Amino acid sequence: MTGKFDGVYRVAGNYRNQWPTINNAFTTATASVDFGIMKNRIPDYDQFGVGIMGFSDKAGNGVLLSNAIALSIAYHKSLDEDGYHQIGAGFQGGFMNKRLDLTKVVFEDQLTPLGFTGITSEIFNSNQINVKYFDLNAGVLYNGTTNGYNNFYFGASMYHINRPKESFQGGQYFLAARTTFQAGGRIPVGPINFFHFSANYSLQANAHNAMLGGAYAMNLTGDEESPTNLYLGSWFRLGDAIIPYVGLEFGEFQFGATYDINVSSLKPASNLRGGVEISLIYIKKPTDPNAKKLNCPKF
């Protein structure tokens, strides 16, 4: 989906705190920017996008630190003269660094009658606590509309295609590839309002995850060209959480917030608190009022 938006460039930020009652299990932040290039050299409704993303994650109250930077490219080819149907392919390459903060780690053999006051026999060298590798991802996407107002898309992605080696013990552990399928759409409700829906299913080794839901976009100003939209909806992570969502879109900004309500067997530990997530997207609009608009999904 790199470059798949109607504008000059897009800047996005995201923050998530997953299961905060379980010693801040996962705290994750991302920042990205993407834009279209060669717009005067490719057909009007084609889009050639490039982007860069930074990723930072702290797991186990900061015991495991993961940081990555990734570069992505994608080309979206129009299948008709009106740009109603497009098919795209994208690639992403990134460098990942994972590090253990041993100052925050205690081991079983440190347990004494006075608490964790003993000395561990575990020995780590600098190579074992600092793992670096290159990661390769790819995906395909179809996007279409029947009349220029509705929108529907579906696609698939594969991550860790190169199966990078990932181990703090010097073993032969290779990261399993993860496959993701996604689909969604936008349906007009009356002349100025829309209903957005999406679903996502991913699997990696023996783990799998399914999520689906939607949100109603209410145009608060009645302005079709530059609306102020209020989004209200919910997503569901099957077997795990209910995820209420509220969003606000105004001018060139879009803000969103969700809160996981954990309903799985983990809820005695999580106290129903799955995690809070907030996002902010800025899309620079074209200055040319006659610029052709791309029919793009919202996500």
Side-chain angles (χ1 to χ4, degrees):
M1 293 182 172
T2 300
K4 190 64 174 166
F5 64 95
D6 190 24
V8 180
Y9 60 85
R10 171 173 57 187
V11 180
N14 200 82
Y15 172 82
R16 179 178 181 84
N17 189 355
Q18 178 76 21
W19 299 323
T21 60
I22 311 177
N23 208 19
N24 289 317
F26 299 98
T27 303
T28 311
T30 63
S32 66
V33 59
D34 63 327
F35 47 89
I37 61 173
M38 301 176 63
K39 293 187 176 182
N40 296 326
R41 299 184 181 183
I42 59 177
D44 286 341
Y45 291 108
D46 286 12
Q47 185 82 334
F48 191 1
V50 298
I52 188 170
M53 181 188 73
F55 166 90
S56 180
D57 179 84
K58 295 181 180 180
N61 206 27
V63 171
L64 176 62
L65 307 175
S66 302
N67 293 290
I69 187 168
L71 179 68
S72 58
I73 61 171
Y75 193 91
H76 306 276
K77 177 63 181 176
S78 177
L79 303 179
D80 59 274
E81 61 182 9
D82 296 316
Y84 276 14
H85 302 274
Q86 292 181 326
I87 189 167
F91 298 89
Q92 183 181 67
F95 289 93
M96 171 66 77
N97 174 249
K98 291 193 173 187
R99 182 177 180 84
L100 287 175
D101 186 351
L102 297 183
T103 64
K104 298 180 178 180
V105 178
V106 291
F107 297 92
E108 183 182 8
D109 61 354
Q110 292 178 264
L111 181 61
T112 71
L114 299 178
F116 284 94
T117 58
I119 299 175
T120 181
S121 62
E122 298 286 343
I123 299 175
F124 291 85
N125 61 44
S126 60
N127 292 329
Q128 289 176 319
I129 64 173
N130 194 2
V131 176
K132 300 178 182 179
Y133 56 81
F134 173 76
D135 205 7
L136 179 64
N137 314 311
V140 292
L141 176 72
Y142 167 79
N143 173 68
T145 179
T146 60
N147 55 18
Y149 291 95
N150 60 21
N151 180 271
F152 45 91
Y153 68 91
F154 56 87
S157 302
M158 179 170 284
Y159 301 83
H160 321 308
I161 295 174
N162 57 322
R163 297 290 308 278
K165 183 179 178 181
E166 184 182 72
S167 175
F168 290 107
Q169 295 291 336
Q172 296 298 311
Y173 174 77
F174 296 91
L175 193 59
R178 175 165 62 93
T179 303
T180 300
F181 303 94
Q182 59 268 344
R186 180 182 72 238
I187 301 174
V189 181
I192 57 175
N193 299 327
F194 293 88
F195 177 71
H196 299 260
F197 60 94
S198 65
N200 182 292
Y201 177 77
S202 62
L203 64 158
Q204 182 176 21
N206 294 323
H208 59 89
N209 181 75
M211 186 166 58
L212 67 142
Y216 182 74
M218 183 186 309
N219 190 325
L220 301 180
T221 60
D223 186 347
E224 291 188 54
E225 294 299 321
S226 183
T228 297
N229 288 321
L230 175 65
Y231 294 83
L232 295 172
S234 183
W235 270 258
F236 304 89
R237 192 161 51 250
L238 301 185
D240 181 51
I242 301 170
I243 312 169
Y245 165 76
V246 60
L248 183 65
E249 181 181 24
F250 55 96
E252 298 176 320
F253 292 89
Q254 183 171 339
F255 170 82
T258 64
Y259 189 88
D260 287 19
I261 302 172
N262 184 235
V263 294
S264 72
S265 58
L266 189 65
K267 62 185 178 182
S270 68
N271 294 321
L272 300 178
R273 294 170 58 188
V276 62
E277 184 170 351
I278 57 175
S279 63
L280 180 64
I281 301 173
Y282 173 79
I283 297 179
K284 175 63 178 178
K285 300 297 184 182
T287 56
D288 182 3
N290 298 317
K292 292 185 178 179
K293 292 187 175 182
L294 298 176
N295 185 62
C296 302
K298 290 241 180 157
F299 49 88

